[in-house]
Every structure is written in C-alpha cells, then in structure tokens.
Amino acid sequence: MFPAVYLDERTATPAQKTQRKKGFPALRAMAEPLELKKTLNLPKSNFPMKASLPQNEPKQLEAWYAGNIYERILEVRKGKPLFVLHDGPPYPTGEIHLGTGLNKILKDLLVKTKSMAGCYAPYVPGWDCHGLPIETQVEKELGGKGKVPPAEFRKLCREFATRYVEQHKRDFKRLGIFGRWNDPYLTMSFGYEATIAGAFLDFMEKGYVYRGRKPVYWCIYDSTALAEAEVEYEDHSSPSIFVRYKLVQDGANADKIPSELRGKNVYAIIWTTTPWTIPASMALAFNPTFEYAAVQTDGEVEIVAEQLRHAVWETIGRKGLGKTLKTYSGQYLANEAGLEFQHPFLNRTVPAVLADYVELDQGTGIVHTAPGHGADDFLTGQKYGLETYAPIDDKGVYLEGLPEYKGKDVFAANPIIVKLLADRGALLANQPYKHSYPHCWRCHNPVIFRATEQWFIKMDQAGTGRQKTLRQEALEEIHQVRWIPAWGEDRMHEMIEKRPDWCVSRQRFWGVPIIVFYCEGCGKRLEDYGALRNVVKWFEKEGADAWYKHSPEELLPRGTKCACGASNWRKENDILDVWFDSGSSHLSVLKGPEWPADVYLEGPDQYRGWFHSSLLVATGTRDAAPYRSVVTHGWTLDEQGRPMSKSLGNALYPIEICERWGADLLRLWVASVEYQADVKMSERVMTQLGEAYRKIRNTFRFALSNLGDFDPARDSLANQQLEEIDRWMLDRTSDLVKKCREWYANYEFHRVYHAIHDYCVVDLSAFYFDVLKDRLYTKAAKNKSRRSAQTAIWKIADALVRLAAPVLVFTAEEIWRYLPKAAGRPESVHMAVFPEAEALACGIAAREAEKWERLAQVRSAVLLALEQARAGKAIGGGLEAKVRLHANSKAPGLQELLREKGSLLPALFIVSQVVVDPAEGDGLVPSETLPGLAVKIERADGKKCERCWNYSTHVGENSRYSTVCERCSEALAEIESEGTAGVAAN
C-alpha cells in the first residue's frame, strides 16, 4: 500500500476534494507520481493468439486419453436420462475419406450435445468386418481366389480387418471423437457372430426363411450373389437391339388367331439391351391395356404398340408407314387369341403373356421375358408356369445352348448372339445404348440377374403367432419413427413396400455361416431348433470359425438324429448376407434400456442398406423398429459439385485436413453446413473457415485477456449491481443460449455455428467489447464499474465456451483452462453441461431492452458519420470527435432517449464528447441509416488526456497529474488509495 497522509481542505486540489466526497482519502504526498502507463489495465493473457491446431491438438488428445476423458464424462453423467446413438459400422478398409469424417463428426456432435444437455450418452463405435470388401483385399494380397483353405482364409481376413480397425480408431480419435475405443463392437467378434447366427435361427423358427430358385443380382467376377445395397448404378454402354419373333400359325391355338393375321408372315418386335438373355427367352409380355397395331409392310405383318409405331419404324429403317390391318388390346392378343411365337434361333415356342410393368417410355411395348434373369420376369414366369431357365454358371458362362455361344460368358456372348440373330433374319436394328446400369460396388464391373438356389426371408408371410406379414409390420413401424429430413419416411416406405423377398445367402467364406444341416441319409433339413442353437454356443466360444473347424457331429448335441433315423449330417456352404450381419448390430450392442436406440445417423444410401436391414431384423425378431429417429446426411462434393475421388485429384482426406488446418477446422466445417443436403468442400472453403475460426478465437482471447485479475468468487457482482448495458448483454446472451440449445436438440448444428459466429463477431467484438475497452482499461482495477464489465465478460465467455464445446472440442478445452474458475467447476469443459438461459438472464424490462436496441442503431449511424469524417480529414480518430445529435418526429421518442442516456453516449460511440441538440441546427446531416436522426461531427473541445486519450476541457486541473482528464484524475486517486496500480496489467 502507498502511504497516505490527509491534507486539510485549504490545500486539497479539486480532484482530491472529489475523492474525499466519494469516500477515498485525499493524498498529500507520494514519493513519486505513478507512471501513467502502468496505471492502465492493459489486456494480458497467456492464451495464444495463434492456435497452431495441427501441433497442439495431438498433445491435448494424449492428455485426454491419459486421463480417461470418455469414462470420466460418463461417470459424472451417471443416473442422468439415457441417450443412445447407435453407430452404423463402416468397413475397415483403407484410409477414412471425407464422407466418413463428416459422418463420424456429426455423430460426435449429437452425442456431445446430448451429454452437455445433461444426458448419459455413451458412444460405442463399430466396424462391419465381414463381406466382400475385405475378401477382395485379402485375395489381392494372396494373388487370387482359392489360394488357401477356408479356415486359413478367414484367419487372414480377420487379421486384415483388425489392422484397419486400429488405423481407423487412431484416425477417428484424431478428429476429437470420444467413445469406447478400447472396446468397440466388431461384427467379427465371437459374441457378435453368435448374435447374428441366433437372429437367423429366430427368423427360421418363425417360418420366414425358405430356400428357393429366384433371380438375384449376381457378380460374375466375384462369383457371388449381391444384395440391393451392394449394387451401384454407373454409366454403361449396351447393345440396343430390335428383334422379331415369328407368329406360330399351326399351334394349338391356331383357330383363335385373328382372321387378319391368318396365313401371313406375322412377327412381334421386341427391344432389349441384354442380347445375352435371348437364349433364356420364355415368353413375350404385352400390357393388357395397350393397343397394338398389326402393320403390313412389303408382304409381312409386324406387331408393335400403336403409340410407339412411328418411333420403332424410324429406328428399324422402315421407309413407309405401311398399312395397319387392325389394332388389338394386349388383353385380347394374350388371353383371347392366345398367340404363340417361335424363338428366333432355338427350337422353342414362347407364349404371349400379360404384364403391367410393360411401358411405353421406350422400346416397342412388347418385352421378351426371361424368368431366370429378371425380377419382374420371374414373377411373370411364376404366374404363367414358365421355366426359370438360367443356363449359366457362377462365372456367367453358358453351360448349354448353341455352339456359337456355349462356353462363353454372357458379356462375351453379346456380339455372338447379335450376329446369330442377324444370320437368322431376326435382327432389325443394332446400335450402342448408353444408360445407367447396375454394377458391383466392390469390383465396379457390371452385374447380371441370375436365378440360383438361395436362402430367402419372406416379406409377405406372417411369422409364427403373428397376424401381419413382415412387410406389413415393417411398414407400420416406419410411421412410428421420426425421420430427419422428413422425406426419409416416404423413401423408406417405398423401399420396403416394393422390395422382393430378402436374399440372405452369399457364396463366400468370410462371414457368418447359415446354420443349416442336411441329413446324409434322406437329404432333409434339420429342423430341431434346440439342436441348432447348440451351434450358437460354439460361436460364443470360438466365433463362426467353429463352423469350419468342427464336424457336424461336434457342433450338434450328441445323438442328434434325423426323422429317418440317420445321424450323419452335411453342413450348408453359404454364409449370410453382410447386411444381415450389420442389421443385427442393435441386438448385439444395445442392452436393456438402450434398445431401441434414440437415433441412427447415416448417408442416403442406407435407406436400402443399414437403415433397411436393421428395420427388417428388428421387426422380425423383436416386432419393433430398432430406432426412434433416423437422421440422414448428404454426400461430400468438391467445389464444382463433383464427387471426391483419387482419380479426379479432388479428394481431401480428414487426416490431411488435420495436418494442415487442424481437426477443429474440419469440425467447424461440419457444423457450418446444412448437412442434410449434399455438402461442398475445397481449400477455399477451409481458408474461409480459418478466418471465421480466427475471429471466434480472438473474441475469446479478448475476454480472457481482460479477466487476468478477476476471481469469480471474490470479484463478481450480483445482477442488480451490474451496469445496465452489461445486464442487457447478459440478457442477449441468455436468448442466444436458449436458441442454441433448441437448435442442438433438433440437430440443427449450422444454425448454432452461425449464431455463435455472428454473436462473437458482431455483437461482442464489433460492439460490446469495443464499448467496454475504455471502462476495462482506464478505471481502477477494483472499480465497481470495471468489475461489472468483467462479471459480464466472464459469464458470457463461460456460456459461449460451453456452447461451442461440442464443435470446437480442442479449442474449447484450451479456453476452459485459461478461463477463471468458479467453485465446483469440472476439470474439462466436456464434463460440464450447457449454460442455463435462466441463470444468465438479468430480467431487463422489455421497454429498457428496446432502448438499448435503438441506441445500438444510433451507434451504427454515428460510426458511419465518424468514418466519413475521417475520410474527409476532419478528424483523425474517434476520440478526436465531438458528436452533435438531434432526433425529430420521424424517430418518435428517440430525442428523449438520447437525453436520458446522454452520459453513456461518449463511451457507446467511443468519442470524447456528445451533445444532444434541442433543435436540428446548422450542419447536422440526416443519417443515411436511421430516419429521423441528424448527426454532425466536430473536433472535440479541450486537450488530449495522456492516459485515456480522450479530449477534455479539464486536462491540466490536477496539479499532481497535469496531463490527465477529470475521469483519469478520479481513477488515479482511487488507484493511489488502494495501491492497485499495475495489478491487472501485471
């Protein structure tokens, strides 16, 4: 403390007399006057201006995991309401790409926001370890298929998956994602494989499962059936051919042939882009409601849909329109006339049949039907008793047929069959046709439809003890789920409503075997479900590898016999569809009250993938959907709207972004975009986000640098003690908190980001913090007015850092370390909860709040006038200015408001003086932005204060500090009284 000796009133200076009136002792003598610069509370903080995220984030990660951050968060949330996001498992193959990063960060945002909203929110990451993607990679490493026995191949697949799981774990953790990384769920774990097998047996025992011959997507390169979700559509060029089938005149229905067609050479014309299916052609399909024209040209009659005749004639090169003998309905030609046609090159008669799927958008209105090579064709074949003929093997090679194409694969056979048709006079046109065609999602080769013996789950049969079919129950469950965006409900409904029976068998090794045994004696399937569930116990102990290591007699209970008396069994060779594996994840992972999950979140492809299979598995086993809500995000694209890929050279990878900009910048991008649509990413986007991040960080840095001497327990003021502008800003912060919490609850992260960014940049940095600088820097350190500002800053920063924590996970933790601590505050910001809007609100009356809104508008108008004055060289800086104001009737009540708040206006405008003129005098210029307000900028009166740089006519009145204004004289007297010079600055 500085020594103080009281003077008598005769020798006291005016400033000292003022201090005595305010309760401060007047000081007579000091060893030396204080150094003015050291009496200022200049901002100071060790919180760095430069984030250096790529260097500092890994250090924070190390500290988090050394301190078990995830487990500690769950510990402090124990007993709180449960929230479960169930993770959709990615394949552990290769480096994570931007779409995966978007997906995982969005999930982390959901989990963190629910946790900070006060929920117990565990996150169990998972990986889909079975299936073709991993088999393909292992086969590449081995140099081909069939190089090692199945058990060894499975061991290599497991090792490959484990390797990439560990790599993915490391990369996901680098993104600031918290979770149960030391114990994730893996579809290849023993317990999970047992769950899959048990779920399949549940379906089988309820009567949903059957084995049948149906056409399914088939990859001839990987020799396996494919699920719909394993098929991607890509551009493809196919041979587009028009082929004619000759009408059989001497068949069983010869007497029913229309008289106009009898005795003539009559042909039906079809169009196809799969010439290789012609050998399997079993019928010609007509739409029952279409009109078909029989057109005679050059002595021959050809039948096509009447509406397509002109287009077909142009394509096949008919020069004249010919003569229409008559038009017939499809119903008449197929049912009443019972037409039959001769196959173009095989000794086969094919009937006319009816099918509603025949359309008029292209072709001829007549479709050749191959039940062994098409879903619609198959159903038509079943209706009319046609043979499901598919004479090709697993490699797509014809096993029978004419010498020209037998032994060739289907795509190699295309030109051969086209030539064969031409040689037989059946080919009318042939040209390349570019269209979207199904391809295998892994090898990216075109696939085919092929009828094979497969295991299916019936969609249109009720399970044992159920009244409704699986399809009906699944459709009902869809309407119980909240879909975000809302169009997801219709999309899922359409998917389930139109899907065929689920083909759940695959011809591979790396997966969960279908637990089926066949009697070696009579060939019948074992239907003793108690015995079959004994295999599940083996899987629990040894995983599905047990199927390949042990004999049927070991896997089944001792003495298991067939009804025929035999006790020798043969195992099924197929494995389950990988989508059945991942669709069973909720059964394996979600325990007790965790089922059903509160939310699933994935990309739009999962409506035919994981969302889809999970719904069917859950409905089939537990009679309900496994999720209460489903959130869908869009695709990641480059700046031009193209998908990102290595081949295009436009890919940005999450780890690359972390190394260049930091994970928090990637997270900021995720939070800034409207993720429910497709989102764009580029270096330019990251540069813009870097600037936004810098502004947010600098806002926090200003707050921290002005709280160095602030102890919340000691220095914070009650709301009623705060200055009015501080209370107003806390009310505004309260409104922000309320809105952000609502947006977080609705997963509207982009709205949170923009609100926080704008509040930091516009409301705080450009307005409130700017206004506070004079009060913070020039008042005595312990002055109540300064403590009021600090209290507000601390509360605002504390609220904002918690609001930003789910997005800026690393930066928020860094800010948290520097922010003055309140009693009982958690060690990590991520263990804290969101601020409560009510706790921040000061309850300023709506009328008073409206006054401050108007004053903010006045400030904007004045700042514009000051800028114009600077540009005109009338003043150098704002503190050189005196502002004259007047408001007329066009701004009702504003003149009175300006008079009421007159003493606050210099600080609000950051000028030295403000005069509210009673009338609109000379030189006042109407504001460009605020009607009714007139402004004039003059040079300030008096001299410049050396300490605060304001201009005042009272500079020089203090004999001890002759270069300071009356405001600084008062502050210096307070500082000398309390001995606080330099406290805040140092």
Side-chain angles (χ1 to χ4, degrees):
M1 293 288 292
F2 295 107
V5 180
Y6 292 105
L7 294 176
D8 65 33
E9 292 297 322
R10 292 172 299 171
T11 58
T13 66
Q16 289 169 330
K17 290 177 181 179
T18 300
Q19 289 299 305
R20 185 184 296 281
K21 290 177 184 177
K22 289 182 174 287
F24 297 116
L27 300 178
R28 179 186 63 185
M30 300 287 292
E32 292 288 341
L34 297 173
E35 186 179 338
L36 293 181
K37 184 177 180 181
K38 290 185 177 180
T39 67
L40 295 171
N41 309 303
L42 297 178
K44 184 177 182 181
S45 175
N46 291 325
F47 181 76
M49 182 180 294
K50 187 175 180 182
S52 301
L53 295 175
Q55 294 76 35
N56 291 329
E57 287 175 344
K59 299 174 186 175
Q60 180 61 67
L61 274 178
E62 188 176 344
W64 274 335
Y65 286 100
N68 299 315
I69 182 66
Y70 171 72
E71 291 77 12
R72 292 181 66 192
I73 292 171
L74 291 185
E75 182 63 31
V76 298
R77 302 285 190 265
K78 193 172 287 185
K80 302 297 183 183
L82 177 66
F83 176 85
V84 176
L85 177 145
H86 183 40
D87 188 31
Y91 285 108
T93 54
E95 185 178 2
I96 63 170
H97 52 75
L98 189 60
T100 315
L102 169 73
N103 176 273
K104 278 293 191 281
I105 290 172
L106 281 172
K107 290 173 180 174
D108 191 56
L109 286 175
L110 260 71
V111 173
K112 282 191 169 74
T113 55
K114 290 300 181 181
S115 174
M116 294 193 72
C119 291
Y120 183 86
Y123 173 62
V124 183
W127 279 268
D128 195 354
C129 303
H130 294 140
L132 187 58
I134 291 171
E135 283 200 20
T136 302
Q137 294 298 324
V138 172
E139 284 165 356
K140 284 181 182 178
E141 293 181 0
L142 290 173
K145 296 177 181 288
K147 298 291 184 181
V148 294
E152 177 63 19
F153 183 74
R154 287 175 59 85
K155 178 175 176 289
L156 293 173
C157 288
R158 187 178 293 278
E159 290 171 355
F160 180 94
T162 300
R163 185 163 74 245
Y164 277 99
V165 165
E166 291 305 312
Q167 178 178 315
H168 282 195
K169 272 199 227 176
R170 179 197 67 209
D171 293 348
F172 289 143
K173 289 164 75 173
R174 177 64 186 88
L175 301 182
I177 297 166
F178 298 161
R180 202 177 75 188
W181 298 112
N182 59 342
D183 184 25
Y185 81 84
L186 307 175
T187 61
M188 66 181 182
S189 70
F190 294 175
Y192 195 117
E193 289 181 333
T195 298
I196 297 168
F200 177 75
L201 289 178
D202 287 345
F203 272 91
M204 185 175 280
E205 192 168 6
K206 290 179 179 182
Y208 288 118
V209 179
Y210 70 96
R211 187 167 176 82
R213 182 175 172 81
K214 283 187 175 185
V216 295
Y217 285 116
W218 187 272
C219 178
I220 66 173
Y221 302 92
D222 291 309
S223 301
T224 186
L226 297 172
E228 288 186 38
E230 295 174 315
V231 171
E232 295 176 346
Y233 282 80
E234 301 177 14
D235 289 340
H236 183 70
S237 181
S238 300
S240 168
I241 62 172
F242 287 77
V243 179
R244 63 183 192 174
Y245 287 59
K246 189 173 184 179
L247 178 66
V248 175
Q249 296 272 6
D250 57 355
N253 296 329
D255 59 329
K256 296 181 181 179
I257 295 174
S259 58
E260 299 85 2
L261 306 182
R262 288 181 191 162
K264 296 181 174 66
N265 290 323
V266 182
Y267 300 88
I269 302 176
I270 66 96
W271 170 74
T272 183
T273 58
T274 54
W276 64 268
T277 62
I278 295 290
S281 182
M282 293 294 173
L284 298 187
F286 294 74
N287 189 297
T289 64
F290 294 172
E291 287 294 310
Y292 290 87
V295 183
Q296 185 167 354
T297 309
D298 299 329
E300 295 182 334
V301 179
E302 292 166 320
I303 301 173
V304 295
E306 170 65 20
Q307 287 182 248
L308 294 172
R309 178 163 66 94
H310 292 285
V312 173
W313 255 233
E314 182 179 347
T315 302
I316 65 178
R318 292 281 186 265
K319 294 182 180 178
L321 291 178
K323 178 184 178 183
T324 301
L325 301 180
K326 193 170 182 179
T327 61
Y328 311 92
S329 71
Q331 180 79 27
Y332 173 80
L333 294 175
N335 278 5
E336 296 179 37
L339 300 188
E340 295 181 328
F341 299 87
Q342 179 61 46
H343 191 281
F345 53 75
L346 294 175
N347 184 22
R348 181 188 304 152
T349 299
V350 299
V353 297
L354 297 175
D356 292 333
Y357 56 79
V358 178
E359 297 178 345
L360 294 173
D361 56 341
Q362 55 190 349
T364 69
I366 306 171
V367 175
H368 103 82
T369 300
H373 294 299
D376 289 333
D377 300 46
F378 174 79
L379 294 175
T380 299
Q382 294 293 294
K383 178 180 177 181
Y384 286 94
L386 305 175
E387 181 184 357
T388 306
Y389 183 61
I392 58 176
D393 67 9
D394 292 355
K395 289 293 185 182
V397 173
Y398 286 96
L399 299 172
E400 55 187 70
L402 298 183
E404 287 88 342
Y405 57 83
K406 183 180 178 181
K408 301 288 193 302
D409 74 62
V410 292
F411 296 116
N414 264 337
I416 296 171
I417 291 171
V418 170
K419 183 177 184 302
L420 193 58
L421 290 167
D423 293 344
R424 301 295 176 93
L427 184 69
L428 299 179
N430 175 28
Q431 57 192 27
Y433 176 69
K434 289 188 176 179
H435 60 139
S436 182
Y437 187 85
H439 285 64
C440 174
W441 71 320
R442 294 310 302 174
C443 68
H444 297 287
N445 285 303
V447 301
I448 65 172
F449 258 105
R450 177 195 177 207
T452 60
E453 288 284 334
Q454 301 287 346
W455 289 94
F456 295 89
I457 288 177
K458 297 175 185 176
M459 292 298 299
D460 296 309
Q461 178 168 316
T464 303
R466 307 294 296 177
Q467 298 299 314
K468 297 178 180 178
T469 67
L470 181 61
R471 189 189 309 276
Q472 289 170 333
E473 291 193 346
L475 289 173
E476 288 180 1
E477 284 301 311
I478 289 169
H479 302 305
Q480 307 304 315
V481 176
R482 180 189 178 201
W483 300 89
I484 305 171
W487 53 254
E489 180 173 349
D490 289 339
R491 185 168 184 180
M492 181 60 89
H493 190 279
E494 183 181 10
M495 289 275 184
I496 297 294
E497 185 178 44
K498 294 182 178 180
R499 70 154 297 135
D501 287 351
W502 184 3
C503 176
V504 292
S505 52
R506 296 292 180 270
Q507 292 65 50
R508 304 175 194 157
F509 291 115
W510 181 229
V512 176
I514 291 177
I515 301 182
V516 167
F517 295 89
Y518 303 96
C519 175
E520 292 279 24
C522 67
K524 286 186 65 176
R525 179 166 61 86
L526 177 62
E527 296 185 358
D528 181 344
Y529 291 99
L532 292 172
R533 291 190 187 279
N534 196 66
V535 180
V536 176
K537 296 176 182 177
W538 278 94
F539 285 11
E540 290 171 350
K541 292 184 292 183
E542 299 183 10
D545 291 344
W547 189 260
Y548 300 92
K549 293 179 181 178
H550 300 283
S551 67
E553 290 70 29
E554 291 176 283
L555 295 171
L556 293 168
R558 183 174 298 178
T560 300
K561 289 186 177 183
C562 178
C564 73
S567 57
N568 292 325
W569 302 95
R570 171 175 57 86
K571 290 182 286 188
E572 170 63 55
N573 292 322
D574 289 352
I575 64 170
L576 282 165
D577 173 16
V578 71
W579 290 104
F580 192 93
D581 290 12
S582 59
S584 303
S585 61
H586 55 89
L587 299 175
S588 179
V589 180
L590 306 181
K591 306 300 183 184
E594 296 174 346
W595 199 99
D598 290 287
V599 66
Y600 278 33
L601 184 153
E602 299 298 334
D605 53 334
Q606 298 309 314
Y607 283 91
R608 61 180 184 141
W610 190 55
F611 297 159
H612 194 122
S613 63
S614 296
L615 176 63
L616 293 182
V617 171
T619 306
T621 58
R622 294 196 177 178
D623 309 321
Y627 36 66
R628 294 188 177 96
S629 61
V630 171
V631 180
T632 309
H633 62 75
W635 303 108
T636 53
L637 309 173
D638 71 5
E639 204 165 17
Q640 285 74 46
R642 300 173 301 172
M644 290 189 168
S645 69
K646 284 184 179 179
S647 59
L648 290 176
N650 63 349
L652 280 172
Y653 291 89
I655 297 308
E656 174 193 353
I657 292 171
C658 290
E659 291 171 351
R660 294 179 61 185
W661 291 286
D664 266 0
L665 264 292
L666 179 59
R667 297 178 68 94
L668 199 64
W669 169 72
V670 173
S672 71
V673 297
E674 294 191 46
Y675 65 85
Q676 293 171 18
D678 293 344
V679 294
K680 294 182 178 180
M681 165 62 89
S682 66
E683 293 207 16
R684 185 178 66 84
V685 168
M686 291 306 298
T687 300
Q688 292 172 342
L689 282 169
E691 180 62 19
Y693 171 84
R694 184 186 66 79
K695 290 178 179 178
I696 294 171
R697 184 180 181 89
N698 283 347
T699 301
F700 279 108
R701 190 170 188 274
F702 177 89
L704 295 174
S705 65
N706 283 284
L707 294 173
D709 65 328
F710 182 79
D711 179 349
R714 179 193 67 207
D715 302 320
S716 62
L717 303 180
N719 286 348
Q720 63 271 22
Q721 296 178 291
L722 300 178
E723 296 200 4
E724 192 171 68
I725 189 173
D726 300 329
R727 287 186 281 124
W728 178 59
M729 286 306 297
L730 284 173
D731 273 358
R732 287 172 59 84
T733 307
S734 173
D735 289 340
L736 176 72
V737 167
K738 183 178 180 181
K739 290 175 181 176
C740 287
R741 292 195 63 166
E742 289 175 357
W743 291 329
Y744 270 142
N746 292 319
Y747 314 141
E748 296 176 288
F749 306 124
H750 66 288
R751 300 184 73 175
V752 175
Y753 159 74
H754 289 293
I756 291 176
H757 172 269
D758 292 349
Y759 197 70
C760 285
V761 175
V762 178
D763 296 74
L764 295 180
S765 294
F767 172 63
Y768 181 56
F769 286 176
D770 206 28
V771 170
L772 285 187
K773 287 175 182 175
D774 182 76
R775 202 184 341 158
L776 289 168
Y777 300 168
T778 66
K779 293 290 183 180
K782 298 179 182 180
N783 181 271
K784 183 179 177 182
S785 175
R786 181 169 180 269
R787 291 302 193 205
S788 174
Q790 286 182 305
T791 299
I793 290 173
W794 174 71
K795 288 185 175 183
I796 291 169
D798 178 74
L800 285 180
V801 71
R802 287 185 280 159
L803 284 179
V807 179
L808 300 174
V809 290
F810 294 96
T811 303
E813 192 75 299
E814 184 185 10
I815 293 167
W816 193 251
R817 290 200 304 270
Y818 288 94
L819 192 66
K821 296 175 176 58
R825 191 186 82 167
E827 179 182 339
S828 168
V829 69
H830 302 295
M831 296 165 66
V833 293
F834 284 139
E836 296 291 342
E838 296 77 11
L840 284 164
C842 294
I844 283 189
R847 187 160 174 247
E848 293 304 311
E850 185 181 340
K851 289 180 181 179
W852 280 102
E853 296 287 352
R854 295 194 78 186
L855 288 175
Q857 294 173 353
V858 174
R859 182 177 189 269
S860 296
V862 169
L863 292 183
L864 178 60
L866 288 169
E867 186 58 39
Q868 293 169 343
R870 269 192 292 268
K873 309 296 184 184
I875 58 171
L879 292 178
E880 294 180 10
K882 176 167 74 174
V883 178
R884 306 190 76 88
L885 298 171
H886 177 78
N888 61 30
S889 59
K890 292 181 181 178
L894 183 57
Q895 180 75 358
E896 292 75 16
L897 175 61
L898 294 175
R899 287 202 203 99
E900 177 189 341
K901 304 293 185 183
S903 63
L904 304 178
L905 298 182
L908 190 64
F909 304 153
I910 316 178
V911 297
S912 290
Q913 294 130 25
V914 176
V915 176
V916 180
D917 287 348
E920 195 167 330
D922 293 341
L924 269 72
V925 179
S927 167
E928 298 176 15
T929 60
L930 187 55
L933 178 70
V935 184
K936 182 181 181 183
I937 307 299
E938 300 176 348
R939 288 197 66 85
D941 299 331
K943 297 178 182 178
K944 180 179 180 181
C945 173
E946 182 184 352
R947 182 171 180 270
C948 71
W949 294 7
N950 275 268
Y951 282 74
S952 172
T953 56
H954 296 289
V955 172
E957 292 182 358
N958 186 332
S959 60
R960 181 170 174 79
Y961 296 101
S962 61
T963 59
V964 304
C965 65
E966 70 280 11
R967 294 165 60 251
C968 288
S969 291
E970 183 177 333
L972 289 166
E974 186 176 347
I975 292 168
E976 289 181 334
S977 169
E978 297 183 356
T980 57
V983 171
N986 297 314

